Amino acid sequence: MQTLSLQVFGVSTGFVTAGAIIALSYSTVPVFLSHPNEVSLRHLRALFSSGSHIFPQLATAASTAFSVLAYTAPPASPLRYQYIVAAAGTIGIAPFTILVMKPTNMTLKEIGEQGNEGIKRSGGEQRVQELLRRFGRLNAIRGGILAMGAGVGLYAALSQRN
C-alpha cells in the first residue's frame, strides 16, 4: 500500500504542479503583455514571490516520493532507474530555474523595482515585452521538464502493475 500511495502522490503532485506552471505561461503572460509594462512588472513580482513559496516545495515532494520508490525498487532493475529519472525530472526545475531562468527573472525584477525609469534604462517598452515573452517560454519549458519527470514516474508505476 505504501508503494501505491507514493506512486499516486508523486505522479499527481508532479503533473498538477507542471500543469500549474505551464498554465501560468499561457494564461498570465498574455495578460501581462496587454497591460502597461509598469503594471505588469509589479504583478510579475508578486507572481515570482508566490510561486517561489509553492512550486519548489511541490517539486521537491514529488521528487522525494520518486526517490523513495527508486530506493525500494529491486537493485539494478529498470524500475529503479525509471524512478531515478522521474525524481531527477521533477526536481529538475530547480537547476533550470537557477541556471537558465534567473538572468531573465532578475532583469525583470530589477526593471520593475525602478518603475518607468527602469523601463527606459532597459531599452524601452519593447525590451520589457521581449523579456516577458522570454519568461513565458522559459516557464513553459520548466513546466515541461516537471511533466516529463511525472510522466516517467507514471510509466514506472504502470509498468510495475503488469
Side-chain angles (χ1 to χ4, degrees):
M1 187 59 152
Q2 177 185 5
T3 298
L4 179 60
S5 298
L6 286 169
Q7 290 168 330
V8 169
F9 179 80
V11 169
S12 61
T13 302
F15 276 131
V16 167
T17 305
I21 290 171
I22 293 167
L24 283 173
S25 291
Y26 291 106
S27 63
T28 307
V29 172
V31 172
F32 288 162
L33 294 170
S34 69
H35 287 82
N37 286 335
E38 189 172 5
V39 172
S40 296
L41 291 171
R42 195 172 333 118
H43 290 295
L44 185 64
R45 191 173 30 211
L47 180 69
F48 285 162
S49 178
S50 63
S52 71
H53 296 295
I54 298 169
F55 297 129
Q57 291 80 351
L58 290 173
T60 300
S63 183
T64 300
F66 292 134
S67 296
V68 171
L69 289 164
Y71 180 77
T72 59
S77 68
L79 188 63
R80 176 171 275 189
Y81 297 120
Q82 290 165 358
Y83 282 129
I84 289 169
V85 170
T90 51
I91 200 64
I93 68 167
F96 183 82
T97 302
I98 293 166
L99 298 173
V100 178
M101 292 185 71
K102 190 174 182 178
T104 301
N105 293 0
M106 293 308 295
T107 301
L108 285 166
K109 185 178 176 188
E110 290 167 6
I111 294 169
E113 288 171 352
Q114 298 170 7
N116 279 330
E117 189 61 37
I119 293 169
K120 289 175 190 170
R121 275 195 228 138
S122 73
E125 300 282 333
Q126 199 63 21
R127 175 69 178 140
V128 173
Q129 297 277 307
E130 289 170 16
L131 289 167
L132 287 169
R133 282 188 195 88
R134 179 172 169 76
F135 165 75
R137 285 190 306 272
L138 293 175
N139 199 52
I141 292 168
R142 177 171 59 170
I145 292 168
L146 210 153
M148 182 276 309
V152 173
L154 177 62
Y155 177 83
L158 293 176
S159 70
Q160 192 173 5
R161 299 283 165 226
N162 293 332

